Amino acid sequence: MGSIPKRIHRQHIGIVILAVICLSIIGGTYRTFHTPKEQHLVDSLNNKAYQLRYTQQDSVLQLTQQSLLHTTDYNSGKAEALNHQLFQAGLNIDFKNGKAIYNQIQRITNNQVELLISDITMMMMCQRTGQHLSYFDYMASARRHIARIEEED
């Protein structure tokens, strides 16, 4: 009787291992990673959005939406597209939407340059809306990002 539980135990281990392997294979086919081609597309869309940021705001928003569709696992590209949207919110003095975009950028990336850009844009928006205390909070955050960038160099 002592050998029956061992045999059952071994059978269960085999089934569990087989299930894990199958789930890994199936899960791997549904997981998407950015390819160099997708990264190039996102970077191109973001560059075009940057070039049009002052002259064609509607085009900027369309380009950034397209960019965001292709940024599944490319968080720096996603943060850049969101920074373009944040800048547009700043131009339109849309603090509520800007704050939501800013928070999203803070969650998705640790790219210090993109985080710095988002802080500076929020500083601009705070200046325009008279939110002086928040301005200094964003300035302190921007200085921390500058210090981190200098440490990395």
Side-chain angles (χ1 to χ4, degrees), residues 62-76:
Q62 288 175 351
L63 289 165
T64 58
Q65 287 300 328
Q66 289 177 16
S67 178
L68 291 171
L69 291 174
H70 298 282
T71 59
T72 307
D73 289 316
Y74 180 34
N75 286 341
S76 289

Side-chain angles (χ1 to χ4, degrees), residues 2-29:
S3 66
I4 293 174
K6 284 183 181 180
R7 186 170 40 138
I8 292 173
H9 179 67
R10 286 182 186 155
Q11 287 175 345
H12 286 290
I13 289 175
I15 291 170
V16 169
I17 290 172
L18 182 61
V20 167
I21 291 170
C22 289
L23 289 174
S24 298
I25 292 169
I26 292 169
T29 60

Side-chain angles (χ1 to χ4, degrees), residues 115-126:
L115 293 169
L116 174 62
I117 291 168
S118 67
D119 282 327
I120 292 170
T121 305
M122 289 303 290
M123 288 169 60
M124 174 190 73
M125 209 177 309
C126 287

Side-chain angles (χ1 to χ4, degrees), residues 5-143:
K6 284 183 181 180
R7 186 170 40 138
I8 292 173
H9 179 67
R10 286 182 186 155
Q11 287 175 345
H12 286 290
I13 289 175
I15 291 170
V16 169
I17 290 172
L18 182 61
V20 167
I21 291 170
C22 289
L23 289 174
S24 298
I25 292 169
I26 292 169
T29 60
Y30 290 106
R31 178 114 172 105
T32 56
F33 294 98
H34 72 275
T35 63
K37 184 178 178 180
E38 289 170 325
Q39 184 173 340
H40 178 71
L41 173 63
V42 169
D43 290 341
S44 296
L45 290 167
N46 284 334
N47 287 337
K48 185 71 171 168
Y50 178 78
Q51 292 169 359
L52 300 174
R53 70 188 180 279
Y54 289 110
T55 58
Q56 298 177 23
Q57 292 184 18
D58 291 339
S59 296
V60 170
L61 294 177
Q62 288 175 351
L63 289 165
T64 58
Q65 287 300 328
Q66 289 177 16
S67 178
L68 291 171
L69 291 174
H70 298 282
T71 59
T72 307
D73 289 316
Y74 180 34
N75 286 341
S76 289
K78 187 174 192 174
E80 184 178 354
L82 289 170
N83 265 323
H84 292 308
Q85 289 184 355
L86 178 60
F87 186 80
Q88 294 305 309
L91 290 178
N92 296 324
I93 312 174
D94 183 359
F95 191 82
K96 183 178 178 181
N97 187 38
K99 181 68 173 167
I101 295 169
Y102 172 84
N103 289 336
Q104 191 175 358
I105 294 167
Q106 300 301 305
R107 281 192 309 272
I108 66 164
T109 190
N110 62 359
N111 180 322
Q112 297 301 306
V113 173
E114 295 299 336
L115 293 169
L116 174 62
I117 291 168
S118 67
D119 282 327
I120 292 170
T121 305
M122 289 303 290
M123 288 169 60
M124 174 190 73
M125 209 177 309
C126 287
Q127 262 183 330
R128 291 181 174 186
T129 58
Q131 298 184 28
H132 304 296
L133 292 176
S134 294
Y135 173 88
F136 289 107
D137 291 338
Y138 291 116
M139 185 173 67
S141 179
R143 286 183 175 163

